[in-house]
Amino acid sequence: MTRSKRKWVAKNGEFELGALLGGCLPNLHCIPFSSPTGGELEYSLINQITDMPHRTELYQDVPSTCWPIVYSPGYNITFMGLEKLHPFDAGKWGKVINFLKEEKLIADDMIVAAREATEEDLLVVHTRRYLNRLKWSFVVATITEIPPVLFLPNFLVQRKVLKPLRTQTGGTIMAGKLAVDRGWAINVGGGFHHCSSDKGGGFCAYADITLSIKFLFERVEGVSRATIIDLDAHQGNGHERDFMYDNRVYIMDVYNRYIYPGDGFAKRAIKRKIELDWGTEDKEYLQKVEMHVAGALNELRPDVVIYNAGTDILDGDPLGGLAISPQGIVKRDEIVFRAARTHRVPILMVTSGGYQKRTARIIADSILNLHSLGLIDKNLATGEAKSSEVELMLRTTPLLEATQLPV
């Protein structure tokens, strides 16, 4: 229900609410507006009246023995070779996990198993009209940029293409709560930053970033401000459109100014916009990232950071058009996590775009580097640190005096 004006009836100096939404509020005596017992007064409802959040399987307790790393084998898209018709490596998420296992950082029983987002979960952000459009194969073919999908029965499209994306979306929502509980979380998939509530595109069918933030706002006490740091090579026009008029969300976006999507309207939502030229290299890129991440977190201290860590900035990426080295990507992630730790802000990382086979190895190397530096502290992901202690560390420890970069 949106904000509205209601007629209230004065009776013996007290207000009693008449019929609301076709019924009575609990513990209130309903009397007709025409009642002779009192005069009519107009009263503006101050707070928006909303339904209680729906029941979801995505916000369940996670064993303390699990790291806040979210993944499911269901992330990977494999069907008759169709996934090879798009430059995106539709199996990179499983490769990242395999690399981390090889390095003995994690094991299967230490990973949080992602759950598929249900229709009710998706309706927190998406319109029903948009979700119904996904029942047409040609719509999905357009969004995923895989033309042969057009000729598949939609039940196959749902099972083989959209279900993996819904599972990654569920993983991002789950990782949002984990980040707040543990101080950090990584969804090995997700980052569908071109999708908004009513439109998909660029291989993004569900607005997982928007959903993770909306879930936190609705369900987690103390989370009322969020900062999105979008460092994918492409502009994140989906979440920008979703949060265009929401001052609770601060968006920083660093992207190649010359490539898709070039969404001028969505750019109006960006609070800190850094547009890059073709072939931008490590030195310039990392200087700008470090300066502006610090500036963003100094400008508005959020309750959570959502970090869209696309690897399509890698030199040679067929779509990104930038020239960042593997070492530059690892350093970039380090800069963002260090800034979040310095400011005592929980951080959720999603992996987003990256269109070369070697990006899985780079993502794994970056996670290993974060661990080696203590920026993803193992203790915070085990029984040695309870969520209350994480809360204390992140929210109540006085900030250390530090020399800040110019903003």
Side-chain angles (χ1 to χ4, degrees), residues 35-285:
S35 169
T37 59
E40 292 186 0
L41 294 175
E42 190 172 287
Y43 184 85
S44 295
L45 295 179
I46 298 175
N47 294 316
Q48 185 174 349
I49 299 175
T50 59
D51 294 330
M52 292 293 290
H54 71 283
R55 183 175 180 178
T56 182
E57 298 293 319
L58 301 179
Y59 265 24
Q60 296 188 352
D61 291 334
V62 172
S64 60
T65 53
C66 289
W67 283 61
I69 295 176
V70 185
Y71 169 73
S72 165
Y75 282 12
N76 302 291
I77 300 173
T78 55
F79 182 62
M80 297 174 60
L82 286 177
E83 69 279 0
K84 298 177 182 178
L85 299 177
H86 190 282
F88 194 88
D89 180 3
K92 77 172 184 180
W93 308 286
K95 295 173 185 175
V96 172
I97 291 296
N98 288 336
F99 286 135
L100 295 177
K101 288 179 182 177
E102 289 174 5
E103 298 292 337
K104 310 298 184 186
L105 181 69
I106 58 173
D108 285 333
D109 59 355
M110 299 169 64
I111 301 168
V112 179
R115 295 172 179 263
E116 180 184 357
T118 66
E119 184 173 270
E120 268 197 300
D121 295 327
L122 297 172
L123 285 169
V124 169
V125 166
H126 289 293
T127 63
R128 192 173 295 277
R129 176 178 176 271
Y130 173 71
L131 296 182
N132 285 337
R133 291 184 67 230
L134 295 179
K135 296 175 182 177
W136 294 89
S137 296
F138 79 90
V139 173
V140 181
T142 301
I143 290 171
T144 60
E145 301 171 346
I146 306 175
V149 168
L150 168 66
F151 303 105
L152 294 178
N154 191 258
F155 78 90
L156 284 178
V157 174
Q158 294 292 328
R159 186 186 309 164
K160 297 296 185 178
V161 179
L162 291 181
K163 184 174 181 178
L165 301 182
R166 287 193 295 268
T167 305
Q168 292 190 45
T169 297
T172 301
I173 296 169
M174 295 169 68
K177 184 174 186 299
L178 276 169
V180 174
D181 288 344
R182 307 284 188 92
W184 65 275
I186 296 171
N187 181 17
V188 175
F192 304 131
H193 65 156
H194 297 308
C195 188
S196 63
S197 63
D198 61 356
K199 186 178 181 181
F203 206 76
C204 302
Y206 302 107
D208 67 317
I209 292 175
T210 304
L211 280 159
S212 67
I213 293 172
K214 288 291 183 76
F215 264 69
L216 288 170
F217 284 172
E218 288 184 1
R219 296 169 182 268
V220 179
E221 185 177 357
V223 179
S224 60
R225 297 186 307 274
T227 290
I228 299 171
I229 298 176
D230 195 334
L231 301 188
D232 187 273
H234 300 80
Q235 176 198 352
N237 60 320
H239 57 73
E240 288 160 9
R241 284 177 171 265
D242 285 335
F243 293 117
M244 177 69 68
Y245 305 108
D246 193 334
N247 290 327
R248 298 173 298 175
V249 179
Y250 182 105
I251 298 174
M252 168 181 161
D253 202 347
V254 183
Y255 56 89
N256 184 336
R257 71 174 77 223
Y258 299 109
I259 62 175
Y260 176 90
D263 190 335
F265 175 76
K267 290 179 183 180
R268 294 164 52 189
I270 304 172
K271 300 294 194 300
R272 190 172 284 258
K273 177 174 62 178
I274 302 93
E275 297 187 322
L276 304 175
D277 293 320
W278 291 107
T280 298
E281 297 182 348
D282 286 22
K283 183 177 181 181
E284 176 188 351
Y285 179 79

Side-chain angles (χ1 to χ4, degrees), residues 306-337:
I306 291 80
Y307 171 36
N308 197 46
T311 48
D312 51 0
I313 63 171
L314 181 64
D315 187 19
D317 189 280
L319 301 181
L322 303 178
I324 309 305
S325 69
Q327 297 76 17
I329 292 175
V330 171
K331 183 63 178 179
R332 175 200 67 174
D333 295 348
E334 177 186 328
I335 288 169
V336 177
F337 271 78

Side-chain angles (χ1 to χ4, degrees), residues 272 290-296 298-299 404-407:
R272 190 172 284 258
E290 188 163 17
M291 178 175 70
H292 287 288
V293 167
N298 286 333
E299 189 170 338
Q404 299 293 342
L405 290 166
V407 299

Side-chain angles (χ1 to χ4, degrees), residues 330-361:
V330 171
K331 183 63 178 179
R332 175 200 67 174
D333 295 348
E334 177 186 328
I335 288 169
V336 177
F337 271 78
R338 191 178 298 281
R341 176 62 65 90
T342 298
H343 287 77
R344 274 59 173 187
V345 180
I347 181 169
L348 158 62
M349 171 178 155
V350 289
T351 57
S352 200
Y355 306 94
Q356 298 184 69
K357 297 297 183 182
R358 56 186 177 142
T359 59
R361 178 74 252 185

